[in-house]
Amino acid sequence: QWNLVCDNDWKGPLSTSLFFVGVLLGSFLSGQLSDKFGRKKVLFATLAMQTGFSFIQVFSTSWEMFSVFFVLVGMGQISNYVAAFVLGTEILGKSIRVLFCTLGVCIFYAFGYMLLPLFAYFIRDWRMLLLALTLPGLLCIPLWWVIPESPRWLISQGRFQEAEDIIQKAAKTNGITAPDVILDPSELQDLNSQKQQTYTILDLMKTRNILTITIMSVILWMIISVGYFGLSLDTPNLHGDVYVNCFLSAVIEVPAYIISWLLLRNLPRRYSMAAALFLGGCVLLFIQLVPSHVRALSILLVMLGKFGITSAFSMVYVYTAELYPTVVRNMGVGASSMASRLGSILSPYFVYLGAYDRFLPYILMGSLTVLSGILTLFLPESYGMPLPDTIEQMLLVKGPASSSTRDSKEEEENPEIFKSTAF
């Protein structure tokens, strides 16, 4: 369109990188905005931002104009994704929350992924393709009158009556007779005093425990993102038709999300995630052992690796949201997602290494994925635990040599923490 060949061919991949730069900025800002102004307002504001700037992109007159709006689209896209994810996590009960976070959010992401190569196959003009992918955003407008604000967020802001009205309405919709007073007055007083505190991104480093969880989450999200986007971007390099390979790469995500939902529903988070990461990483390491003439087996192993990493990507959202307390949950997920965007920015360069050695990207991604599986085993277990509302209620990180003596000492020093988060 704008002579993006020969000396200008670097502009094509740079456009993708700029989109991910926007996603990174959105991941950082959306968490703080959502914790300050509310999940619902940020969700719909960023939906409008994504749809509006995508529509303007259709009429771009230069590569520079397209790329600038691509950054803004990226900011809106990840912001509404994170806000919607956290909103659903805080509104829904424990059993439905896992269903929403896996099959509810992720499987529809996969359906959208599958539609992309189908749309692209039949709509070869990029402006019409972009328009076709943008217009469905208008269908979200009526949802403003359907989706409520998060009662947990309202309570954390001291807006108890609004939270109680939402709970009463939910009870009426579900045919349940709720008590006249849902929130205990003494609890309201305690929460009202907590409301006076203003939480910032620095609170993710307030204590050694939350700092350790934050560092581990950042590393984990970054590595998983490198593997996920690296394999997705490497699809054109596989043997066969690029549209078919892209479609297969999307289809494999459906069983991955279903498996992740079953694992989260029935098994501990740490072991489920570690198993998925070990599967994805080990399979990628085995690809280099496959003879070059057995192309089908290579594609099968790549898809199996994508299966494992996609399962882990689905579970890490749920796991991270459960580890962070309500007061900084959106910031915690947002900061982790920002680290994920750093991984997505790096992922094209992992794919580029294939020009020097076809198996080098798989060796690097496989090794990092296995290491992230080991790292997961050191995170605290949140399966079956109530969502923490304060930093003090967070589960403690388990070290490699977690002894009963150390646990007893910590329990003696922090009896209230262990009372509310015993594991």
Side-chain angles (χ1 to χ4, degrees):
Q1 180 69 41
W2 295 301
N3 197 33
L4 304 184
V5 294
C6 299
D7 291 340
N8 290 324
D9 62 353
W10 57 271
K11 292 183 178 180
L14 180 59
S15 298
T16 305
S17 296
L18 289 173
F19 172 81
F20 283 122
V21 168
V23 172
L24 186 151
L25 294 173
S27 300
F28 178 73
L29 295 174
S30 65
Q32 299 182 68
L33 291 174
S34 184
D35 284 333
K36 183 175 183 180
F37 297 107
R39 304 352 184 179
K40 182 178 178 180
K41 289 180 180 177
V42 171
L43 169 61
F44 283 92
T46 53
L47 274 170
M49 179 180 180
Q50 178 185 351
T51 303
F53 287 123
S54 293
F55 184 75
I56 296 174
Q57 265 190 306
V58 175
F59 305 97
S60 297
T61 57
S62 66
W63 172 80
E64 289 78 10
M65 178 180 176
F66 179 91
S67 298
V68 168
F69 285 116
F70 216 14
V71 174
L72 298 173
V73 170
M75 291 178 66
Q77 185 269 330
I78 192 62
S79 297
N80 63 59
Y81 187 90
V82 173
F85 182 87
V86 173
L87 178 59
T89 300
E90 294 183 342
I91 287 179
L92 302 172
K94 183 172 62 176
S95 59
I96 303 300
R97 182 171 67 242
V98 173
L99 180 65
F100 165 79
C101 294
T102 50
L103 299 189
V105 173
C106 298
I107 208 166
F108 281 94
Y109 176 91
F111 288 157
Y113 191 175
M114 281 187 276
L115 287 175
L116 175 61
L118 292 177
F119 273 56
Y121 183 81
F122 291 104
I123 307 176
R124 297 303 176 98
D125 179 75
W126 71 265
R127 294 183 190 272
M128 291 299 100
L129 174 61
L130 183 56
L131 184 62
L133 298 173
T134 299
L135 291 179
L138 299 176
L139 299 176
C140 297
I141 294 176
L143 296 178
W144 174 266
W145 292 275
V146 177
I147 298 175
E149 181 56 271
S150 165
R152 284 180 177 270
W153 179 81
L154 290 171
I155 292 172
S156 71
Q157 299 298 304
R159 295 159 62 176
F160 306 115
Q161 187 57 51
E162 294 177 60
E164 188 161 306
D165 290 343
I166 292 174
I167 298 172
Q168 291 280 7
K169 183 178 180 180
K172 183 179 180 181
T173 302
N174 293 326
I176 299 172
T177 303
D180 295 331
V181 179
I182 296 176
L183 302 175
D184 185 83
S186 60
E187 292 181 359
L188 296 184
Q189 187 174 0
D190 293 339
L191 289 167
N192 195 36
S193 62
Q194 295 174 12
K195 180 183 81 77
Q196 305 303 323
Q197 300 182 20
T198 302
Y199 292 91
T200 67
I201 196 74
L202 296 178
D203 285 289
L204 297 180
M205 300 173 281
K206 186 175 182 180
T207 66
R208 186 173 65 177
N209 188 54
I210 193 172
L211 175 61
T212 303
I213 289 177
T214 299
I215 292 174
M216 294 172 74
S217 296
V218 163
I219 295 173
L220 191 61
W221 279 63
M222 186 182 298
I223 293 176
I224 293 175
S225 182
V226 166
Y228 177 83
F229 287 102
L231 291 176
S232 298
L233 294 173
D234 192 54
T235 301
N237 297 325
L238 299 177
H239 301 289
D241 185 85
V242 62
Y243 294 97
V244 173
N245 288 336
C246 185
F247 182 76
L248 290 175
S249 181
V251 168
I252 197 64
E253 295 196 4
V254 175
Y257 293 135
I258 294 174
I259 290 295
S260 65
W261 169 61
L262 293 173
L263 291 174
L264 289 172
R265 187 179 179 183
N266 300 294
L267 296 172
R269 311 295 194 235
R270 287 188 301 166
Y271 301 125
S272 299
M273 267 199 63
L277 290 168
F278 285 142
L279 170 64
C282 292
V283 166
L284 293 180
L285 290 174
F286 286 148
I287 292 177
Q288 60 185 312
L289 304 178
V290 178
S292 58
H293 63 278
V294 189
R295 297 176 177 179
L297 181 57
S298 296
I299 295 177
L300 177 62
L301 290 177
V302 170
M303 295 304 167
L304 193 55
K306 180 79 181 293
F307 172 87
I309 293 176
T310 300
S311 297
F313 216 158
S314 173
M315 289 186 278
V316 76
Y317 270 93
V318 180
Y319 198 6
T320 305
E322 291 179 344
L323 290 177
Y324 282 104
T326 301
V327 292
V328 292
R329 181 170 295 118
N330 221 99
M331 278 190 286
V333 175
S336 300
S337 183
M338 183 179 68
S340 170
R341 297 318 119 196
L342 289 173
S344 62
I345 291 173
L346 292 173
S347 59
Y349 298 98
F350 277 73
V351 177
Y352 180 73
L353 292 175
Y356 299 97
D357 185 324
R358 185 69 191 97
F359 299 112
L360 187 56
Y362 299 119
I363 294 172
L364 291 176
M365 288 188 289
S367 301
L368 289 174
T369 302
V370 171
L371 289 175
S372 65
I374 297 173
L375 180 66
T376 302
L377 297 174
F378 297 113
L379 285 168
E381 182 55 66
S382 62
Y383 178 64
M385 301 293 178
L387 285 177
D389 287 313
T390 65
I391 293 175
E392 290 72 22
Q393 292 176 352
M394 289 183 67
L395 295 165
L396 298 177
V397 175
K398 290 180 178 289
S402 181
S403 64
S404 59
T405 303
R406 189 197 70 173
D407 291 343
S408 300
K409 182 179 179 181
E410 288 178 341
E411 182 172 2
E412 183 179 336
E413 294 174 352
N414 304 282
E416 293 302 319
I417 298 177
F418 274 76
K419 181 178 179 181
S420 59
T421 63
F423 41 80

